[in-house]
Amino acid sequence: MPRPPGVPTPDEHRGVAGRSHGGETEARITELRAAVRRAMAAGDRRTARELRAELREAEQAWDDAVLGGDPQTSGDPQTSGDLRTGGDAGRGLPRAGRTPAPLLPVRERVHQALTLIGAPAAPKLIGSVYAAFFPGEIPSARLTSLRRDEERSFRTAPHARPYYLCAALTADLLAPARGLLAVSTWPLQRRIVGPLSPRTDFLTAAARLAEHAAAGHGTPSPAVQRLLWRFASTIPGAATGTVGTADPAVLAEAARAELDVHREADRRRRGSAARRARDRLDDAERLFGGRLRTVRGSGSARRPGRRSASSSATSPAISGETDR
């Protein structure tokens, strides 16, 4: 499909990041968002992906022009800490000695933390991960309304943003899992939680965070050590050193070993639920959940108000940290 009318090519806007005025970039962002919506409505996912990539570049250029971002820490993936683990591009994830661009919106900070975790997580864990691995913090008050804001934005202008912070879905009812956030660009199967998912997601997060800590130079900071210890203390064979500290390499190995035990059964349950979700839910419901209802093939009906096993199952350091 040809490029939608009114959308300039990348060559026509090359060098926009160096301009001092953000007006032209702002106009281009508006054009690209509209073009992404048109491409998605026409079913042209390839063009939509290309336009989304250009949209991200334009938004970064706007940040540099208006907010005064440092191009050496905010625009270049080689210096901004691009982390690719499990198929995700961790925009702005830090390497040793690197500092992400300042003044990041809350949703961008949450996206960074979730990308590093690699699985649906509770707000308290998201805040802990961001505080340990990134400069600054995520205000807990903003997290309580963030998912509602994201859903409202999606329903107003579907697919206008490169990603949305959405809900994890329960495998039985395909309803929002209480207190768990995910990223819309993750495969649907990863955004669904079944009976084994709290544990597998806990182990996935432990392994990814430990590997990221091990990839840095020198000893992890005290905040990172405390975070890793919370994982290691509940994984057999992971807590081998002094109480309160954890060897990242040992933790990652122990988490992966236990993950191998549960992963296949969890994958089958999530895959089955993902197929039902694709058949029965619209675009918005696949991101933010449908109304509570019993889905055929999901097992016996439940009494109204009774929480499903998948939404109430907890794991010590992830699901158990939901805000109360």
Side-chain angles (χ1 to χ4, degrees):
M1 177 179 291
R3 177 176 293 269
V7 180
T9 65
D11 289 340
E12 292 171 336
H13 281 276
R14 194 173 303 278
V16 69
R19 297 176 185 173
S20 59
H21 191 271
E24 294 183 19
T25 308
E26 215 169 292
R28 186 187 177 213
I29 288 173
T30 301
E31 293 171 353
L32 286 169
R33 285 176 176 168
V36 169
R37 291 196 294 270
R38 289 195 295 269
M40 291 299 297
D44 187 358
R45 294 185 177 275
R46 180 178 179 180
T47 299
R49 284 194 296 270
E50 294 173 352
L51 290 169
R52 282 175 179 172
E54 294 178 31
L55 178 59
R56 285 192 291 270
E57 293 177 0
E59 289 173 335
Q60 183 62 63
W62 187 90
D63 286 345
D64 293 342
V66 177
L67 300 180
D70 182 357
Q72 296 197 5
T73 57
S74 61
D76 184 357
Q78 296 300 318
T79 57
S80 62
D82 185 21
L83 173 70
R84 299 184 183 273
T85 306
D88 291 318
R91 296 175 58 202
L93 298 182
R95 292 177 182 171
R98 305 295 187 185
T99 303
L103 302 177
L104 288 176
V106 169
R107 70 185 301 270
E108 182 75 10
R109 286 178 252 173
V110 174
H111 180 254
Q112 288 182 329
L114 279 171
T115 301
L116 188 53
I117 294 167
K124 192 170 182 180
L125 177 69
I126 293 170
S128 297
V129 169
Y130 191 88
F133 286 95
F134 301 88
E137 60 182 20
I138 299 176
S140 58
R142 283 288 291 114
L143 288 173
T144 58
S145 61
L146 184 59
R147 193 194 64 78
R148 292 194 299 272
D149 294 342
E150 293 287 286
E151 181 175 3
R152 189 180 304 113
S153 173
F154 182 88
R155 292 185 182 277
T156 301
H159 306 291
R161 294 176 171 178
Y163 67 86
Y164 291 85
L165 302 174
C166 58
L169 306 183
T170 60
D172 50 2
L173 301 180
L174 302 179
R178 184 185 178 196
L180 294 180
L181 289 174
V183 181
S184 64
T185 54
W186 291 351
L188 181 57
Q189 181 171 322
R190 201 199 304 184
R191 294 188 278 108
I192 289 177
V193 291
L196 291 175
S197 300
R199 186 60 181 175
T200 58
D201 287 348
F202 173 82
L203 295 168
T204 297
R208 288 172 61 97
L209 294 172
E211 289 169 353
H212 186 62
H217 299 291
T219 304
S221 69
V224 171
Q225 282 282 3
R226 288 192 295 270
L227 180 64
L228 296 183
W229 170 253
R230 284 160 49 193
F231 285 92
S233 62
T234 62
I235 299 175
T240 58
T242 306
V243 173
T245 63
D247 185 316
V250 173
L251 171 58
E253 183 178 357
R256 295 289 183 195
E258 186 181 341
L259 186 60
D260 289 340
V261 175
H262 306 295
R263 179 162 33 204
E264 185 57 29
D266 184 52
R267 186 192 65 79
R268 288 196 300 267
R269 182 63 183 266
R270 286 173 131 159
S272 174
R275 289 189 291 272
R276 287 189 286 109
R278 292 188 188 97
D279 291 339
R280 300 172 187 274
L281 304 181
D282 60 27
D283 285 355
E285 290 175 331
R286 283 196 288 269
L287 293 180
F288 301 99
R291 295 181 179 179
L292 285 174
R293 61 193 179 210
T294 300
V295 181
R296 291 181 182 178
S298 64
S300 59
R302 292 173 173 78
R303 295 189 184 93
R306 182 179 177 184
R307 292 176 60 193
S308 65
S310 59
S311 64
S312 61
T314 61
S315 186
I318 293 190
S319 299
E321 289 195 331
T322 53
D323 294 330
R324 291 181 174 85

